[in-house]
Amino acid sequence: EQERGDLEGALAHYEESLAIQRQLLENLSASDSPDSFNDIVWAVQLCASIEISLSRADAALVHLESFVEQASCLESATDANTLDTAATYWERRAEALDALGRTSEATESRTRAASIRTRIADINAE
Protein backbone atom coordinates (compact mmCIF):
# COMPACT_ATOMS: atom_id res chain seq x y z
CA GLU A 1 0.00 0.00 0.00
CA GLN A 2 2.80 2.38 0.78
CA GLU A 3 4.43 1.66 -2.58
CA ARG A 4 1.12 2.54 -4.25
CA GLY A 5 1.08 5.84 -2.34
CA ASP A 6 -1.64 4.76 0.08
CA LEU A 7 0.02 5.92 3.28
CA GLU A 8 -3.31 6.01 5.13
CA GLY A 9 -3.95 2.36 4.28
CA ALA A 10 -0.44 1.40 5.31
CA LEU A 11 -0.83 3.22 8.63
CA ALA A 12 -4.21 1.56 9.21
CA HIS A 13 -2.65 -1.86 8.76
CA TYR A 14 0.23 -0.82 10.99
CA GLU A 15 -2.29 0.02 13.73
CA GLU A 16 -4.14 -3.24 13.12
CA SER A 17 -0.92 -5.20 13.51
CA LEU A 18 -0.26 -3.47 16.83
CA ALA A 19 -3.75 -4.45 18.00
CA ILE A 20 -3.04 -8.06 17.02
CA GLN A 21 0.22 -7.89 18.94
CA ARG A 22 -1.56 -6.65 22.07
CA GLN A 23 -4.13 -9.47 21.80
CA LEU A 24 -1.38 -12.04 21.42
CA LEU A 25 0.33 -10.61 24.49
CA GLU A 26 -2.85 -11.19 26.47
CA ASN A 27 -3.03 -14.76 25.18
CA LEU A 28 0.60 -15.32 26.08
CA SER A 29 -0.03 -14.22 29.65
CA ALA A 30 -2.96 -16.59 29.86
CA SER A 31 -1.30 -19.69 28.50
CA ASP A 32 2.50 -19.36 28.23
CA SER A 33 2.39 -22.04 25.53
CA PRO A 34 5.05 -22.46 22.84
CA ASP A 35 2.40 -21.65 20.23
CA SER A 36 1.78 -18.33 21.95
CA PHE A 37 5.49 -17.57 21.80
CA ASN A 38 5.42 -18.35 18.08
CA ASP A 39 2.38 -16.14 17.56
CA ILE A 40 3.77 -13.18 19.45
CA VAL A 41 7.11 -13.31 17.67
CA TRP A 42 5.36 -13.36 14.29
CA ALA A 43 3.22 -10.39 15.34
CA VAL A 44 6.29 -8.46 16.43
CA GLN A 45 8.01 -9.30 13.15
CA LEU A 46 5.00 -7.96 11.26
CA CYS A 47 5.03 -4.72 13.23
CA ALA A 48 8.77 -4.35 12.79
CA SER A 49 8.57 -5.02 9.06
CA ILE A 50 5.95 -2.32 8.62
CA GLU A 51 7.96 0.12 10.73
CA ILE A 52 11.10 -0.60 8.71
CA SER A 53 9.21 -0.03 5.46
CA LEU A 54 7.99 3.30 6.87
CA SER A 55 11.61 4.23 7.70
CA ARG A 56 10.92 3.79 11.40
CA ALA A 57 13.81 1.48 12.14
CA ASP A 58 14.19 2.85 15.65
CA ALA A 59 10.54 2.00 16.44
CA ALA A 60 11.00 -1.43 14.86
CA LEU A 61 14.00 -2.07 17.05
CA VAL A 62 12.05 -1.09 20.18
CA HIS A 63 9.47 -3.78 19.34
CA LEU A 64 12.09 -6.37 18.51
CA GLU A 65 14.24 -5.71 21.56
CA SER A 66 11.26 -6.07 23.87
CA PHE A 67 10.86 -9.67 22.70
CA VAL A 68 14.46 -10.87 22.67
CA GLU A 69 13.78 -13.15 25.63
CA GLN A 70 10.74 -14.75 23.99
CA ALA A 71 12.60 -15.27 20.74
CA SER A 72 15.45 -16.84 22.66
CA CYS A 73 12.98 -19.29 24.18
CA LEU A 74 12.01 -20.42 20.68
CA GLU A 75 15.60 -21.44 19.99
CA SER A 76 15.29 -24.39 22.36
CA ALA A 77 12.61 -25.92 20.13
CA THR A 78 13.22 -29.12 18.24
CA ASP A 79 10.77 -28.59 15.36
CA ALA A 80 11.68 -26.78 12.16
CA ASN A 81 8.64 -24.47 12.13
CA THR A 82 9.34 -22.97 15.54
CA LEU A 83 13.03 -22.66 14.73
CA ASP A 84 12.11 -20.90 11.48
CA THR A 85 10.15 -18.35 13.51
CA ALA A 86 13.18 -17.76 15.73
CA ALA A 87 15.53 -17.40 12.76
CA THR A 88 13.18 -14.96 11.05
CA TYR A 89 12.99 -12.93 14.25
CA TRP A 90 16.79 -12.53 14.35
CA GLU A 91 16.83 -11.64 10.63
CA ARG A 92 14.24 -8.89 11.17
CA ARG A 93 16.25 -7.61 14.13
CA ALA A 94 19.33 -7.48 11.90
CA GLU A 95 17.40 -5.43 9.31
CA ALA A 96 16.38 -2.89 11.95
CA LEU A 97 19.91 -2.70 13.33
CA ASP A 98 21.32 -2.24 9.82
CA ALA A 99 18.91 0.63 9.20
CA LEU A 100 20.16 2.26 12.39
CA GLY A 101 23.79 1.78 11.39
CA ARG A 102 24.50 -0.69 14.18
CA THR A 103 26.38 -3.13 11.97
CA SER A 104 28.21 -5.18 14.61
CA GLU A 105 24.96 -5.96 16.42
CA ALA A 106 23.28 -6.72 13.09
CA THR A 107 26.08 -9.15 12.28
CA GLU A 108 25.56 -10.91 15.61
CA SER A 109 21.84 -11.27 14.86
CA ARG A 110 22.56 -12.65 11.38
CA THR A 111 25.04 -15.12 12.84
CA ARG A 112 22.43 -16.29 15.33
CA ALA A 113 19.86 -16.66 12.53
CA ALA A 114 22.35 -18.60 10.38
CA SER A 115 23.06 -20.98 13.24
CA ILE A 116 19.35 -21.65 13.65
CA ARG A 117 18.94 -22.14 9.90
CA THR A 118 21.71 -24.76 10.06
CA ARG A 119 19.78 -26.59 12.78
CA ILE A 120 16.65 -26.45 10.63
CA ALA A 121 18.54 -27.95 7.69
CA ASP A 122 19.78 -30.76 9.96
CA ILE A 123 16.24 -31.45 11.17
CA ASN A 124 14.89 -31.50 7.63
CA ALA A 125 17.70 -33.82 6.51
CA GLU A 126 16.74 -36.44 9.09
Side-chain angles (χ1 to χ4, degrees), residues 77-100:
T78 57
D79 66 287
N81 288 335
T82 302
L83 289 172
D84 181 65
T85 300
T88 303
Y89 173 88
W90 293 113
E91 291 160 354
R92 292 284 185 272
R93 183 176 183 266
E95 289 173 16
L97 288 164
D98 277 338
L100 292 169

Side-chain angles (χ1 to χ4, degrees), residues 40-56:
I40 194 64
V41 170
W42 277 113
V44 170
Q45 289 173 10
L46 173 62
C47 292
S49 294
I50 293 168
E51 289 165 331
I52 289 168
S53 73
L54 292 171
S55 299
R56 297 179 181 167

Side-chain angles (χ1 to χ4, degrees), residues 2 4 7-8 11 14 26 29 44 50 53-54 56 62 64-65 69 75 79 81-82 84 87 110-111 113 126:
Q2 182 182 7
R4 291 191 313 259
L7 185 57
E8 292 300 318
L11 289 173
Y14 168 74
E26 290 173 18
S29 298
V44 170
I50 293 168
S53 73
L54 292 171
R56 297 179 181 167
V62 168
L64 291 167
E65 291 301 312
E69 186 177 331
E75 291 180 48
D79 66 287
N81 288 335
T82 302
D84 181 65
R110 276 196 188 78
T111 300
E126 294 176 355

Side-chain angles (χ1 to χ4, degrees), residues 18-48:
L18 290 176
I20 292 167
Q21 177 183 346
R22 284 190 287 273
Q23 181 62 45
L24 290 169
L25 276 171
E26 290 173 18
N27 293 343
L28 179 63
S29 298
S31 67
D32 286 335
S33 73
D35 287 340
S36 294
F37 281 128
N38 258 345
D39 291 344
I40 194 64
V41 170
W42 277 113
V44 170
Q45 289 173 10
L46 173 62
C47 292

